[in-house]
Amino acid sequence: MPHPLVQALIAHFDSVFEGPNGDYSAVLEAVACVSVTQALWKPTPTQNSIWQIVEHLIASKEWQIEMLEHGQATSPAWVEPSGDEAAWQASLARLKDAHHRLKLVLEQVAEADLLKVPVSEEGRTLLELILSAGPAHEAHHSGQMDYLKGLQAG
């Protein structure tokens, strides 16, 4: 069983990703019932779509996994997804899978390792990096997705 700090981290990750958390939509709540048309829509050509945000969250979870396993990772890049409803649903499945894999990796991390400063990051502990790249980052993007849905409905 993971240490209490790791258990608290996992519970926090789950709350922001799956909900409920009370004040704002969790990631899965933000993408619930979003069609491929809604997922691809952008208010302007230079802004991100919901699908781009989902792909970014997948890449961010992969980054977190790499940081936890190896202490270093390549920063995630934004991509321009395209496709049909099946491809959109596959992206959502990959998002859920990445969340599950991240939790499995978190369960294996020793509390002492969370307080170490990775070589690739100056002055920030692994815990600080994971918290800023994880729940805070996801809450920000779930709000963006809700906003994009609101613009489409307006």
Side-chain angles (χ1 to χ4, degrees), residues 6-7 25 30 32-33 41-42 65 84 86 92-93 96 114 134 138-139 154:
V6 173
Q7 288 176 337
S25 298
C33 302
W41 182 85
K42 295 179 175 190
I65 291 168
D84 58 10
L92 294 175
K96 292 173 188 174
L114 289 172
E138 289 191 356

Side-chain angles (χ1 to χ4, degrees), residues 46-113:
T46 59
Q47 293 179 305
N48 295 319
S49 67
I50 291 172
W51 198 342
Q52 282 178 291
I53 294 169
V54 166
E55 291 295 328
H56 175 68
L57 291 176
I58 294 166
S60 295
K61 286 179 181 295
E62 297 287 346
W63 180 89
Q64 292 171 71
I65 291 168
E66 288 295 312
M67 286 300 292
L68 289 165
E69 290 181 334
H70 307 293
Q72 59 185 5
T74 303
S75 294
W78 286 87
V79 297
E80 185 75 49
S82 63
D84 58 10
E85 186 69 33
W88 166 236
Q89 293 304 318
S91 287
L92 294 175
R94 286 186 11 259
L95 178 64
K96 292 173 188 174
D97 178 66
H99 181 76
H100 175 72
R101 287 184 293 113
L102 176 58
K103 287 174 35 176
L104 291 176
V105 171
L106 272 170
E107 288 175 354
Q108 303 305 313
V109 174
E111 281 191 38
D113 290 342

Side-chain angles (χ1 to χ4, degrees), residues 11-19 21 24-28 134-136 138-139:
H12 188 47
F13 272 71
D14 279 345
S15 172
V16 173
F17 186 72
E18 300 169 357
N21 53 37
Y24 53 89
S25 298
V27 171
L28 292 183
E138 289 191 356

Side-chain angles (χ1 to χ4, degrees), residues 133-145:
H137 182 240
E138 289 191 356
H140 165 74
H141 286 305
S142 69
Q144 284 182 320
M145 291 187 288

